[in-house]
Each structure stands twice: as structure tokens, then as C-alpha cells.
Amino acid sequence: YQRRVHGCLAVSDLGHCERHPEQAHQVNIPAWMGSLPANCLVIHISTDIVYSGKHGGNLETQADPVCVYGLSKLLGEQYLQKNHPHHITLRSALIYGPPPFLSTPKASFVQATLKALDTNSPITCFTDEKRTPVYVMDIVQVVLALLRRDTHTPAVYNLGGLECVSRYEMAALVCEAAGRAPHSAERPTGSGG
């Protein structure tokens, strides 16, 4: 392949996407990738939010997003599949890791949990949404492994960690790793979406 492009740009704040669906679609549907040379490999980072969670979340499960963010990411995948012959889509689960080196308008779940601990503020953590959090450097290793390959067949892969946890359970793990008690995590009954 002559060139390789990695599609990591996204508007991923679910609330923001619901309030600004036009912006979510404009950013999350990578129309600019359609103009790339045909011999260019595109590795597109998508999300497990393309699944509703009603039927599990594996590649045999039909994607059925229930929010603007999930729909915009699925439409982005479909656009890429239709308009670019050499693509790989990686549907990542909830990503965790060190703070990003570039500032972002919203902290990751881990950073928000740590900030709540530092300021002794409560944090709302839902229990009815299960995810398989994946470490950001594991995603990097997958991308590097894909780049080392000589040939590629268009494909979609799900990327997740080994454990399936709720946001509440993940917050408890963050508290444990920080040496703090999860006393300030609240458990509401509804989904955080």
C-alpha cells in the first residue's frame, strides 16, 4: 500500500451528539476518506456503541444503534465500506488509559472518576450498561500489527478487554487502583447510554 490513513477523529460525547446531530454526522461520517487513493489502506476507529446491547455485541449481531453517536459511527463505517476498497474498521469498547496529550473538551471516564475522587465529589455510575473496557495501548498494538501486514481484506473487528463491567464496577476498579474507597459513586437505576 502506498499510504496508510488512520481514522481516529470523532465527536464521541453522547450528550453532545444528541444535542448536535448535524455536527456528529459531519465529523463521524468520514466523507473525506472517499477521495483517498484506491491503494491506500484506511484503518477506521469506530465504537461498540453501534450495538444497542439488546442482542449482545459481536460481529454476528446486527448493528442497531440507539443514539445519534452510534448511528453516526455506523454510517461512517458504511460510507467507508462503500467508497474505499482497502479498509479495516476497529469497533472499540470503552477506551481507558493515561490522559490524552492533546486537551479534549470532556475527560474520559477514568479521568472524570479520578477528578471526582480528588475533589470528593459524587459521580453517577450506571449499573445496567455492561462494556468490555480496552486499554488504549492495546488498540495501538492492534493498529501497528495491522500496518505490518502486506495484504489486507476489508474487515470489521471488535476490540474489547477481557472483563465485562458496568460503569459502577469500572469506577470501583479505578478507586481501587488509586487506593481510594468507592464511597462517592452513586448507583442510579437507569442507563447512562
Side-chain angles (χ1 to χ4, degrees), residues 26-92:
Q26 183 179 18
V27 174
N28 294 340
I29 302 171
W32 60 272
M33 288 187 184
S35 63
L36 295 171
N39 64 344
C40 175
L41 171 65
V42 176
I43 298 177
H44 179 64
I45 307 296
S46 189
T47 178
D48 63 349
I49 301 292
V50 300
Y51 303 113
S52 68
K54 297 174 189 168
H55 312 287
N58 57 55
L59 293 177
E60 291 76 38
T61 302
Q62 182 69 29
D64 57 342
V66 296
C67 64
V68 171
Y69 172 62
L71 177 61
S72 68
K73 292 299 283 185
L74 180 61
L75 292 173
E77 291 179 18
Q78 292 169 345
Y79 179 87
L80 191 59
Q81 291 165 3
K82 180 180 176 186
N83 293 288
H84 198 76
H86 303 290
H87 64 273
I88 295 174
T89 296
L90 303 175
R91 290 178 176 164
S92 71

Side-chain angles (χ1 to χ4, degrees), residues 124-137:
T124 302
C125 303
F126 295 92
T127 58
D128 63 343
E129 174 194 11
K130 298 282 189 165
R131 307 281 295 277
T132 55
V134 59
Y135 186 55
V136 66
M137 294 311 294

Side-chain angles (χ1 to χ4, degrees), residues 95-117:
I95 300 170
Y96 70 94
F101 62 90
L102 295 175
S103 65
T104 59
K106 184 177 177 186
S108 73
F109 181 76
V110 170
Q111 277 78 47
T113 302
L114 290 171
K115 182 177 180 183
L117 285 171

